[in-house]
Structure formats: C-alpha cells, structure tokens
Amino acid sequence: MDSNRMNYSVQRAAAGEENIGTGLLIMCLLEGEMTLQYQGERYRMKREDVLLINPGVSYTIRDVNHAVYGEASFSIRMITEVLQSNRKFFYCNSVVDNSHSYQDLRDIFFQLTVEYISRTHQSRCYMDSLLLKLLDCLVEHYQPDQKAMEIYETENDARMREIMQYIITNLDQEISLNELAEKMFVSASTLSRIFKKNTGEYFADYVMQLRVKNAVSLLEHSGQNMLQIAVACGFANSASFNRAFRKIMGVTPTEYREAYQSSREQEEKISAPEPDICKELRQKGYEFGKKEREEMLRLDLKNNQGRKYQKPWNLMINIGPIWDLNQANVQFHTLYLNEQLHFQYIRLWNVFSRKMMINNGKTIGQYNYDAVNQVLDFLVQHRLKPFLDLGRRPDTALRSFRNEVFFEEQYIPFESRENWECMIEDFFSHIVSRYGQEEVSGWVFELSRDCIHGDSLPQYRLYQEEQYDFFDAWRYLWQTVKKKIPAARFGGVTGIVVKDWKFLLDFYKRCNTENVRPDYVSFLMFPYDVRSNQETQTTRILSQDKEYEENQIREIRKLLKQTGMEETPLYITEWNNTISNRNYLNDSCYRAAYIVKKAAAISEQVDMLGIMGGTDWVSSHMDTVGIVNGGIGLLTKDTIRKPAYFAVDFLNQLGDYLLAKGENYIATRKENGDIYILCYYYSWFKRSYFLEEEDVDLRKYHSLVFEEEEPLHLNIRLENLKESGEYYLKKRTLNRRHGSILNEWEEFQYDVRLTRQDVKYLQGISFPTLSQSRKVVTKGNHTLDMKVTMEPHEISLIHIFCRT
C-alpha cells in the first residue's frame, strides 16, 4: 500500500504554524497544551484531546506550551475509495464535544505512538493496520448524522460543507464553479462571494492551492512522472501544472523533487542521532506503556514547625429530613457518627413539612411541636448541636439529575406571608422556652433557597404572595433570630455560585445595604456544570473539570469580594462527588480518595465542609435490598463503615500543624512531636464515564476505567529529627482489599439474602489493614527514609513516633 495514502508522525508544535490539508488530518495531543485555530474558532487542546481537520480546511497552531502531538493523515483518494459515497466529512473535537468519549481514538493513537518511537515491526504492515483501524473508527462513529446536521447547521455552514465536498470529490478532475452553482441553485457570482467571505480566498485560487499541496506529497513520496502527477492532481497538462506549481512554490515541480531528494540523501549521510522527540516520549513511558508514577516528600523538621491546620470536615454532618431522626436506626447512626468521627453539628432540613404536623399553613396561633420536640430532645439529651435549614426542599432520592427514585413535596403550603411569619415567630419562642437561651445560642440556623427551581413559580416559594421576594423572607428570619437568640448563628442561602451568580450578587449586596449581614454564607458543591436550553430549562451535567471544587471556591471568593462579604465565614453545607443515591462509586474506595483529595485542596479556604451525608437510611426505598445500594451515607443500613467513613477517620487523625501538602500527601505534626502523613492516590475518570447515567450499578462499576492505573511510589525523607533512636511507623491502609465493603460483598457474589451472621462478618472484615515497622535513626544522621507504594484510590495514614 502506498505510504503517501496514509501516514502517522509525531511532531513538536510550533506557534504560528499554518497549514491547509489536502487530505484528512486527525491530531491527538500527547503532551503539553496548544491552541488550534480552525474554522474561525480557537480550541485550547490539553493532553489526550483529539481534533480532526477535514480536507481542504486551513488551520493555525498558537499559544504552544511544550506541546507534542500525533498526527494521522489520509489522502483524499483513499477516503474516496473507502467511503464510496459523497459523505466525506467527519467531526471529532474532544475539547467541546461531550457526545463521544473519544477513548477509542485515544487508544489507537497510543498504539500508533508506541510503534512510531520503537519500530518493533520490520515493515509498515502493523502501522498501516493501526491507521486503517483508526479510519474505520472514524467511518463508523464520527461521521455526523445527516438529520443532526440539518438541525444544527446554519444555512451558511451547509453551503460551505457542500462546496468542500464537491472540491474534495473532484480534485483530480475538472472543477467548475458554474456547475457547482447550478447544483446549489445559486448564481456563480453569489457562490464566489460566499466562498471568499468564509475562506478569504477566491474559489479558483483555493482549488489551485489544494492541487499543488497534493502534488507536493506525490513529488516527495511517489515515483510518478510529472505528467502522471499533473493528471492525478487535476491539471489539464504538464504546462498548466508547471505554471501553478511555480506560482505557489517558487520553483518548478522537477526542481522541487530534485531539491527534496538531495536533502534526504544528505540527511541519511549525516546519520543524525535519534530525534529528541522520540527520546522524550520514551522517557515518559510511551514505549512500554505508561510509567509508574513517583513522587518525593522531603521534610526538614528543624526548619519547619508547621502552621496551624484547621479541620472543617468534621464540624457538621448532613443527616437528612428532620422526620428521619425520629427513627431509632437513624438516631443510632447519628450517635455512632458523633462518637466515632466527632461531628459537632447535625444538619437537618424540612423542619416545616407536613410530616412534622406543626401547622396546615392556613391557621394562625395553633402549632403542634410534638414531632419537632422528639427530635430536638434527642439531640439536646446527647449534647448534639442542631444545624437547622428552615427552607423548603422535596423529600427525594436521585439516580441522576431529574431521574428520581422517589420524589414528594412535603413543605407546608403557607397561604400568606403573615401565616409564615407568625409560625416563624412562634417556633423560635418555643425552642427558647423549651431548651433555654444558653442551649439554643449554640445552634446554627439557615434559610436555603431552592437553587434548582428558584422561586419564580408559586409552588416553589416559602409562602404565597403576589409580590414575593425571597430576600424579604430571609431578612425577617434574620431579624427574628437576632431578636430571640442574639448569640445564635444565622446565614444562607445554599447557592450554586456559577448558576446563581446574578441572584447571589444582588442578594448579598442587599444584605450589606440593609445592614442584615449573615453570620456565614452557605453554598452547595457537587461537581456539575449547569446548562440552560432555549426554553430556559436548566440541566446539570457532570463536570469534566478535574479541579472543579478548587475552581468553585475561587469563584465563591470572587463573589464575596464583590459584595463586601470577603470576611464572612464560608460554609459548604452539602458536598459530595455525586448527587446520585444509586451510584456504587459512593460505596467504593474512589469516593474515599475523592474526599481526602478535595478536603486537602480546599480545607484551608472554607470554614465548614459538610459531607453529604451520614447514613444510607435517608435514601432507603423498595429497591435498596443489597448490603450496599449506591447511597451517599458514610454508613450502610447495617452500620457497615464504607471507605468514605474511613477517609474522614484518617483525616481526623492528622496533627494540628501542617508541615507540607502535595499532590498525593498531607504531612502534619501533633503537639507531642508525632508525625502523621496521609498519603492518597486519586485517579480521575476516563471521559467515557461522563457519557453514562450516574446510577452506576454493579455492572457499570466493574467496567469503569480511570486515567491512572499504574502504582504510585511516594518516597518520604524526614530530615533533622529531634532524637536518635528507634522510630516506629504505624501504617493504616485502605484499598480494595482492605476496608472496602463493595469488594468484600463481591466475595458473596453480591447475594442480597445474607444471614445476620454474614452481615456481622462483613462489619468486622470491612476495615483498613494495620501494620507496624521500625527504623533506627543513628546519632549525627537524624534522617528517616521510607517508601509507600499505592494503587489507584488507595489511602494510607502513617504515624511516625520515637520510643527512647
């Protein structure tokens, strides 16, 4: 097979590089970043992004940052033979397209790159087979559907596509603007203007450039004579070919071929060393697959005493709707979480729900607090502090956004503002009277706004009023709290910063203007991008941003600065890797690594971080028959501790002083000098995950693929230890084999009919492993070295102490 029909190469990107392809080009960025300017748009490509350039379309590379890319090319003639149709356009752009995972193309590019730099085969057969596999993948999966194109293409886009298809199909034949205009039912002059406006070139000049570019490839890589090349590229004869070639290239075709062959012979004589680009890729592991990762932690304990380290993750735990805490099993789990993980505040919502039977929303002065008293009495008796969200929200459990397991509106339908305000006034008078000013002064209150539905529709408001304004309700509640319980904290409004930006900006500015500043501001943080369609319907799509949480905190801080609230404490009241209550990732080591990774990243930027949530009982339903069911609790219904539970436990054991923080570790010191290092290996999803629904069942869970699959080696060196002598290293490790209920349940073939003894066995065995080793530190050296090897989603807590 002629090599000029298809080819693969690896290139280092050069800023300002401009080109116009005579064939089909598809690029995969192997290293670094670069911007590709293509069809009037700029696309910022990052590692493993894939982008396709259709034949005849110009592109420019800009803003290069150590970029190396693989480029597969296919000639027009080959594409024509393979497709045997007029549809020769493809669409691949992983930068903006979420409809494909692109993993199929990435895998082939990786194989092509390995063969390109290692040359393990004696002929081109293997390389060509991979290129054909790539082309087959394009044909089968990346040709735009005709109906979809008709829906989304503008009239101008459709015309340009038809023009390009005509040029590409007929590049080796006579091309007539008049013939094309007749086919498209427009005049030749109109078509010429359209083409010039979109390409910046006249039609005839553009066709000539493509033909010459095609000829250049044949001159370099084929043995055809000048007449054969002229005919193959659509020129009428050798004379017209010579004129066109000299006009664009500055030399005749014969002179170009001779110069090219001479330069190639000279290069072969020099026997230049292997290109740097191949060496670089080999060093990065492309020759044998991805290299195992290594990281170094070096601590000089003489010059680093650390800074005070706050732990906002164990201040509060989300339990759920207040009525659930009347159940004995939820009460038991709440006490267990407080005793073992030391959460100070218990966050509850739906206080004013019909299930609590306080009032019907129609009468004033008649309130029944029996159900509320039971819950609050339980908390007070066990010295637990309530964190009460007094807003409205449905009783629900989600498989994914707008895909509910169950959904029920429980909020009391208050008929008027007066009805709601009278009840608020009486509620606060009641709790002060029943529990005393000293007790309730330590409570936290919040009024959240329905951040999904807003309050434009009456059914989503706190009370019915024609001129309803959420700020009026919030201000009244602020005034009531400050009047009844001056020392208590009150805040809100549990917003999503990007989605609610305008509302939050106006809201907090009004708080400043009217001197009703909240004691704290509260936000939700789930990794979703918010999209709105033309009908203003909002949808939430799982974000592909690896640093979503960090970026959200930056946006929140920017908002608070603009509203004069930068000194106000920031509470993230609800936080998890998913909103789904039917996602087995919630039960896996992935979530444990996620919690540690993100807590390490944002803990010093927030004042409270509320994990969502405490127990799987709050999402229990008819379908939750397994040992685990994908719920968001730290505890299963059978009080089996999930990996996420141990993540919080490990975080809690860190010292009070932060010594160092890296991509895969947090190093701390306690007052007594003991060192606690928390190591973690968080691996991000491959992009195919983002195309699936979030209700990850057991089948999907086992098929999930993550970016990092090789081990991580963390080399730790502690220098200038205070004392010489024998040091003990206690290591607690959580991974799939130790502490993962999901993997232990797999040993029972995921049987849902286990005996009580079986469940007790699983409770006992689902626990991190504990090991201990000793190292002797001699006088004059005072250095301790150790190495930790971790699999993806593993976390290890290392306690280092000396016994003299």
Side-chain angles (χ1 to χ4, degrees):
M1 183 172 290
D2 292 342
S3 62
N4 66 300
R5 291 162 62 89
M6 58 183 179
N7 190 47
Y8 182 74
S9 63
V10 176
Q11 302 180 38
R12 197 180 303 281
E17 183 180 321
E18 298 183 21
N19 210 332
I20 178 169
T22 58
L24 181 73
L25 300 179
I26 178 167
M27 298 179 177
C28 179
L29 195 62
L30 303 174
E31 298 290 333
E33 296 183 7
M34 70 181 188
T35 298
L36 200 72
Q37 188 170 324
Y38 171 59
Q39 291 187 322
E41 300 288 341
R42 288 181 174 229
Y43 301 104
R44 187 62 178 170
M45 295 180 69
K46 297 182 179 180
R47 191 169 180 266
E48 293 193 358
D49 270 327
V50 179
L51 199 149
L52 182 144
I53 314 287
N54 277 296
V57 181
S58 62
Y59 64 91
T60 306
I61 294 175
R62 302 187 183 280
D63 305 325
V64 174
N65 181 16
H66 304 292
V68 175
Y69 64 91
E71 179 184 276
S73 60
F74 301 91
S75 70
I76 295 172
R77 181 177 295 180
M78 181 177 188
I79 297 166
T80 302
E81 290 174 3
V82 169
L83 291 182
Q84 297 180 348
S85 74
N86 289 327
R87 289 185 60 208
K88 298 179 181 64
F89 269 64
F90 302 88
Y91 181 77
C92 298
N93 188 341
S94 67
V95 179
V96 296
D97 177 27
N98 293 322
S99 64
H100 292 88
S101 72
Y102 288 93
Q103 196 55 45
D104 47 3
L105 296 178
R106 290 190 186 96
D107 290 342
I108 301 172
F109 266 101
F110 184 75
Q111 293 173 291
L112 284 164
T113 304
V114 170
E115 175 61 17
Y116 179 83
I117 65 175
S118 61
R119 305 293 182 182
T120 56
H121 293 76
Q122 297 181 37
S123 71
R124 281 189 52 92
C125 294
Y126 179 64
M127 179 72 82
D128 287 347
S129 71
L130 291 174
L131 286 166
L132 287 171
K133 183 178 179 181
L134 181 68
L135 184 57
D136 178 70
C137 189
L138 293 173
V139 172
E140 295 299 322
H141 304 296
Y142 293 92
Q143 287 196 83
D145 178 76
Q146 192 66 33
K147 290 184 178 178
M149 290 173 69
E150 289 173 0
I151 294 172
Y152 295 111
E153 271 188 331
T154 64
E155 184 180 353
N156 181 69
D157 291 339
R159 279 180 171 174
M160 285 304 299
R161 176 171 54 80
E162 191 171 347
I163 293 170
M164 289 300 182
Q165 283 182 340
Y166 173 81
I167 294 172
I168 292 161
T169 304
N170 298 283
L171 196 60
D172 60 345
Q173 304 171 33
E174 182 181 353
I175 293 178
S176 167
L177 179 64
N178 290 327
E179 179 185 330
L180 178 57
E182 187 176 333
K183 286 182 177 180
M184 297 179 66
F185 303 105
V186 295
S187 67
S189 58
T190 299
L191 193 61
S192 181
R193 283 197 306 272
I194 292 172
F195 192 85
K196 179 71 164 62
K197 182 179 179 182
N198 281 274
T199 64
E201 301 276 354
Y202 289 108
F203 184 84
D205 292 342
Y206 185 84
V207 171
M208 184 171 64
Q209 284 185 51
L210 283 183
R211 285 175 167 165
V212 169
K213 287 280 185 181
N214 203 22
V216 165
S217 179
L218 292 174
L219 287 167
E220 292 177 350
H221 303 294
S222 79
Q224 294 177 336
N225 62 37
M226 297 304 149
L227 180 58
Q228 289 173 324
I229 291 175
V231 173
C233 294
F235 292 99
N237 50 53
S238 297
S240 61
F241 174 39
N242 278 325
R243 282 196 302 273
F245 198 93
R246 180 185 285 277
K247 181 178 180 181
I248 292 175
M249 303 301 295
V251 294
T252 66
T254 301
E255 291 170 341
Y256 180 88
R257 175 177 269 180
E258 289 174 351
Y260 177 78
Q261 290 176 346
S262 176
S263 64
R264 286 294 301 273
E265 289 171 2
Q266 191 66 25
E267 286 175 7
E268 290 173 3
K269 287 179 181 178
I270 294 173
S271 299
E274 184 182 35
D276 290 342
I277 195 168
C278 290
K279 288 183 179 179
E280 179 183 326
L281 292 178
R282 281 182 173 179
Q283 289 170 359
K284 292 182 177 180
Y286 281 86
E287 185 176 12
F288 304 107
K290 293 186 178 179
K291 287 181 67 176
E292 295 182 359
R293 293 181 54 192
E294 292 209 16
E295 189 171 354
M296 180 71 188
L297 165 59
R298 176 175 290 171
L299 284 177
D300 183 348
L301 298 175
K302 180 180 180 180
N303 300 313
N304 182 4
Q305 294 301 305
R307 64 175 185 271
K308 199 69 177 174
Y309 190 46
Q310 63 179 7
K311 303 175 183 177
W313 52 76
N314 68 351
L315 297 177
M316 177 267 285
I317 185 68
N318 286 284
I319 292 298
I322 190 170
W323 61 77
D324 279 346
L325 203 47
N326 270 323
Q327 301 176 39
N329 44 19
V330 179
Q331 290 183 357
F332 174 72
H333 279 187
T334 301
L335 291 176
Y336 187 92
L337 290 168
N338 170 253
E339 291 166 2
Q340 301 297 320
L341 299 180
H342 316 297
F343 292 109
Q344 298 177 29
Y345 287 92
I346 306 302
R347 188 166 179 265
L348 304 166
W349 49 84
N350 279 339
V351 176
F352 305 129
S353 65
R354 285 174 287 193
K355 282 188 178 181
M356 301 306 289
M357 297 182 291
I358 299 174
N359 185 258
N360 61 8
K362 301 177 182 178
T363 59
I364 295 175
Q366 184 176 336
Y367 307 104
N368 179 354
Y369 295 112
D370 289 348
V372 172
N373 291 343
Q374 279 185 281
V375 173
L376 298 180
D377 286 355
F378 164 78
L379 294 175
V380 171
Q381 286 167 11
H382 291 91
R383 299 182 180 180
L384 301 174
K385 298 293 184 184
F387 188 128
L388 300 180
D389 175 9
L390 303 177
R392 66 173 299 164
R393 63 194 291 172
D395 179 23
T396 186
L398 301 176
R399 298 185 187 279
S400 57
F401 184 67
R402 289 190 174 153
N403 182 9
E404 301 94 0
V405 180
F406 57 87
F407 183 97
E408 187 177 2
E409 286 286 357
Q410 286 289 341
Y411 188 74
I412 298 171
F414 292 101
E415 289 188 343
S416 69
R417 178 174 178 173
E418 182 185 12
N419 287 54
W420 181 81
E421 289 182 349
C422 287
M423 190 213 60
I424 291 293
E425 179 86 15
D426 193 80
F427 173 78
F428 279 92
S429 296
H430 169 76
I431 60 174
V432 171
S433 174
R434 186 174 181 87
Y435 302 106
Q437 187 69 226
E438 183 179 356
E439 169 63 34
V440 296
S441 291
W443 296 8
V444 179
F445 302 94
E446 176 183 29
L447 183 63
S448 64
R449 176 175 174 265
D450 187 334
C451 60
I452 303 299
H453 303 101
D455 46 34
S456 58
L457 299 176
Q459 63 264 35
Y460 301 127
R461 297 172 180 173
L462 295 169
Y463 50 78
Q464 297 307 305
E465 184 182 58
E466 188 173 342
Q467 302 300 319
Y468 178 83
D469 184 348
F470 177 83
F471 182 83
D472 292 337
W474 191 90
R475 177 178 52 196
Y476 180 81
L477 198 43
W478 182 93
Q479 293 167 343
T480 303
V481 172
K482 296 307 173 186
K483 179 175 67 174
K484 301 283 187 180
I485 321 172
R489 280 174 284 169
F490 174 70
V493 291
T494 319
I496 301 174
V497 63
V498 176
K499 173 184 175 294
D500 300 326
W501 181 274
K502 186 177 184 304
F503 170 84
L504 294 168
L505 196 67
D506 293 340
F507 180 87
Y508 289 126
K509 281 182 178 179
R510 289 180 70 180
C511 288
N512 258 332
T513 303
E514 301 194 23
N515 199 27
V516 287
R517 292 174 62 92
D519 297 306
Y520 63 88
V521 294
S522 60
F523 288 83
L524 301 178
M525 196 162 67
F526 297 88
Y528 294 84
D529 293 327
V530 179
R531 306 278 173 83
S532 298
N533 60 22
Q534 293 179 345
E535 289 76 32
T536 68
Q537 287 187 328
T538 299
T539 186
R540 300 172 76 180
I541 301 171
L542 197 65
S543 178
Q544 297 186 36
D545 182 1
K546 294 182 184 180
E547 298 182 350
Y548 177 91
E549 293 77 7
E550 296 90 319
N551 291 331
Q552 288 294 291
I553 295 297
R554 280 191 281 270
E555 289 299 310
I556 291 171
R557 287 297 179 190
K558 188 165 82 173
L559 173 80
L560 297 181
K561 186 174 182 179
Q562 289 186 26
T563 56
M565 293 281 178
E566 58 265 47
E567 300 300 322
T568 307
L570 169 58
Y571 293 0
I572 303 298
T573 48
E574 297 178 28
W575 165 54
N576 194 33
N577 57 292
T578 175
I579 58 174
S580 174
N581 264 293
R582 296 297 183 268
N583 185 333
Y584 279 95
L585 286 173
N586 283 325
D587 308 314
S588 73
C589 291
Y590 167 83
R591 187 185 179 203
Y594 168 85
I595 287 174
V596 173
K597 169 78 173 177
K598 298 304 180 179
I602 66 176
S603 61
E604 294 185 285
Q605 303 170 56
V606 301
D607 299 279
M608 186 179 287
L609 191 56
I611 293 172
M612 190 76 177
T615 170
D616 278 353
W617 277 110
V618 298
S619 61
S620 181
H621 201 56
M622 291 177 288
D623 63 330
T624 54
V625 295
I627 293 295
V628 290
N629 303 279
I632 58 175
L634 299 179
L635 298 172
T636 74
K637 294 194 294 181
D638 295 301
T639 322
I640 299 173
R641 293 163 292 187
K642 298 186 188 181
Y645 171 98
F646 294 112
V648 179
D649 183 37
F650 284 14
L651 284 164
N652 285 348
Q653 294 182 57
L654 289 173
D656 302 314
Y657 298 91
L658 179 66
L659 300 173
K661 189 164 59 172
E663 183 69 20
N664 298 100
Y665 61 82
I666 314 170
T668 64
R669 176 182 63 84
K670 291 205 170 182
E671 288 284 0
N672 64 1
D674 287 6
I675 304 296
Y676 284 80
I677 302 174
L678 182 53
C679 310
Y680 51 89
Y681 186 9
Y682 174 66
S683 181
W684 184 246
F685 302 107
K686 289 285 180 75
R687 293 197 184 186
S688 56
Y689 174 75
F690 300 98
L691 304 179
E692 301 284 343
E693 287 294 332
E694 282 191 85
D695 51 334
V696 176
D697 57 21
L698 291 171
R699 179 187 57 80
K700 288 181 185 176
Y701 170 74
H702 285 291
S703 65
L704 286 177
V705 181
F706 298 91
E707 283 190 350
E708 304 292 347
E709 298 175 355
E710 300 300 324
L712 168 69
H713 304 290
L714 180 59
N715 300 296
I716 301 173
R717 165 166 285 191
L718 304 183
E719 300 174 344
N720 293 313
L721 291 161
K722 279 188 176 181
E723 303 173 72
S724 58
E726 198 169 43
Y727 277 80
Y728 288 76
L729 289 73
K730 279 191 176 179
K731 181 182 173 187
R732 296 168 174 82
T733 299
L734 171 76
N735 55 33
R736 288 174 294 179
R737 297 177 302 282
H738 305 288
S740 171
I741 175 56
L742 200 55
N743 292 86
E744 296 296 347
W745 187 30
E746 184 180 8
E747 297 298 316
F748 288 78
Q749 296 78 50
Y750 303 116
D751 192 352
V752 299
R753 298 180 299 277
L754 299 183
T755 67
R756 186 59 193 157
Q757 284 184 323
D758 295 335
V759 173
K760 285 185 176 180
Y761 168 80
L762 289 171
Q763 284 177 335
I765 200 172
S766 300
F767 197 81
T769 185
L770 175 63
S771 62
Q772 180 173 288
S773 60
R774 290 181 290 179
K775 287 184 178 288
V776 176
V777 174
T778 58
K779 287 185 178 180
N781 185 4
H782 289 208
T783 297
L784 188 152
D785 290 302
M786 64 180 299
K787 185 172 185 176
V788 180
T789 299
M790 294 184 292
E791 65 183 40
H793 306 140
E794 180 174 313
I795 57 177
S796 290
L797 179 68
I798 305 166
H799 175 199
I800 304 169
F801 59 97
C802 180
R803 285 183 182 171
T804 54

